[in-house]
């Protein structure tokens, strides 16, 4: 991936565990995507339905309701949904340092990318949307695969309440 071999040293697990600020979950994803693997047709904000279900509506009225989706989105979408913002990953220093979780989702069912590993090297636990990696090609811990917005909320709350479980789930970070 072209990353520094000392990437683990840059993750401050205790900062993440002791974070009382929100959001504890952030999503790094552009709104657009292809409508099919071979068609090349771009869908404006094509990932929006998945993020509405899991993030905007799914986390509403929970401790994770401040979750932000950062990336390139249409002005119309960003004006309608304040939790969706145009911000590049390189600009997310403190947000990434404080956050613990992310959701990985693709507009094309079962189309996997390097995204879960991009989240891991940022120290974020990458929860996996049901349409992403249905065949478990990535061989991530089964716990990371969520089946509903409620399951996502329950797992984040469980990890927040059990710091040792969180530490065990992220053995890739320097402890």
């Amino acid at each position: 991936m072209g990353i520094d071999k000392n990437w683990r040293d840059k993750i401050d697990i205790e900062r993440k565990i002791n974070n009382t600020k929100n959001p504890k979950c952030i999503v790094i994803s552009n709104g657009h995507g292809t409508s099919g693997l071979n068609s090349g047709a771009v869908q404006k904000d094509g990932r929006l339905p998945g993020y509405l279900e899991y993030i905007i509506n799914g986390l509403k009225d929970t401790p994770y309701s401040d979750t932000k989706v950062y990336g390139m989105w249409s002005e119309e979408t960003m004006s309608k949904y304040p939790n969706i913002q145009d911000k590049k990953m390189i600009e997310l220093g403190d947000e990434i340092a404080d956050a613990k979780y992310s959701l990985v989702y693709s507009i094309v069912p079962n189309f996997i990318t390097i995204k879960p590993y991009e989240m891991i090297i940022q120290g974020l636990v990458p929860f996996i949307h049901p349409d992403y990696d249905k065949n478990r090609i990535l061989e991530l811990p089964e716990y990371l695969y969520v089946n509903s917005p409620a399951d996502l909320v329950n797992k984040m709350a469980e990890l927040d309440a059990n710091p040792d479980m969180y530490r065990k789930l992220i053995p890739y970070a320097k402890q």
Side-chain angles (χ1 to χ4, degrees):
M1 288 177 35
I3 59 168
D4 184 339
K5 66 180 180 175
N6 298 322
W7 63 272
R8 288 174 178 85
D9 297 337
K10 297 176 183 173
I11 300 170
D12 186 344
I13 297 300
E14 294 309 313
R15 177 178 178 170
K16 291 177 177 297
I17 288 172
N18 295 317
N19 175 30
T20 57
K21 296 183 249 177
N22 279 319
K24 290 184 179 182
C25 179
I26 62 174
V27 177
I28 303 167
S29 178
N30 294 323
H32 62 275
T34 58
S35 62
L37 294 177
N38 297 317
S39 73
V42 174
Q43 289 185 334
K44 179 179 139 188
D45 294 347
R47 290 186 176 97
L48 184 59
Y51 292 132
L52 283 175
E53 178 185 6
Y54 271 75
I55 303 299
I56 306 300
N57 298 327
L59 301 181
K60 187 176 179 179
D61 300 325
T62 75
Y64 309 100
S65 62
D66 288 339
T67 295
K68 303 282 189 269
V69 178
Y70 295 112
M72 294 183 343
W73 293 82
S74 71
E75 291 295 327
E76 177 185 345
T77 295
M78 290 187 296
S79 67
K80 189 172 182 180
Y81 304 103
N83 286 29
I84 297 177
Q85 299 179 5
D86 183 7
K87 209 168 185 182
K88 295 177 177 77
M89 186 165 24
I90 197 163
E91 300 169 341
L92 298 175
D94 282 339
E95 288 96 330
I96 288 177
D98 290 335
K100 296 166 73 171
Y101 316 112
S102 190
L103 177 69
V104 178
Y105 166 68
S106 175
I107 194 169
V108 179
N110 212 35
F111 179 70
I112 60 170
T113 66
I114 199 166
K115 181 65 79 174
Y117 298 105
E118 289 177 324
M119 299 302 95
I120 288 169
I121 65 170
Q122 296 297 327
L124 300 171
V125 172
F127 287 108
I128 309 299
H129 186 279
D131 288 345
Y132 194 96
D133 193 21
K134 289 180 182 183
N135 297 325
R136 307 303 196 252
I137 293 167
L138 295 173
E139 299 181 3
L140 294 168
E142 190 61 32
Y143 188 84
L144 297 180
Y145 293 87
V146 295
N147 57 38
S148 68
D151 188 32
L152 175 63
V153 170
N154 291 338
K155 286 179 178 179
M156 289 190 293
E158 182 177 33
L159 292 174
D160 281 346
N162 298 291
D164 288 337
M165 185 178 179
Y166 177 79
R167 283 185 187 95
K168 287 178 185 173
L169 190 59
I170 53 170
Y172 49 79
K174 183 180 176 182
Q175 309 246 351

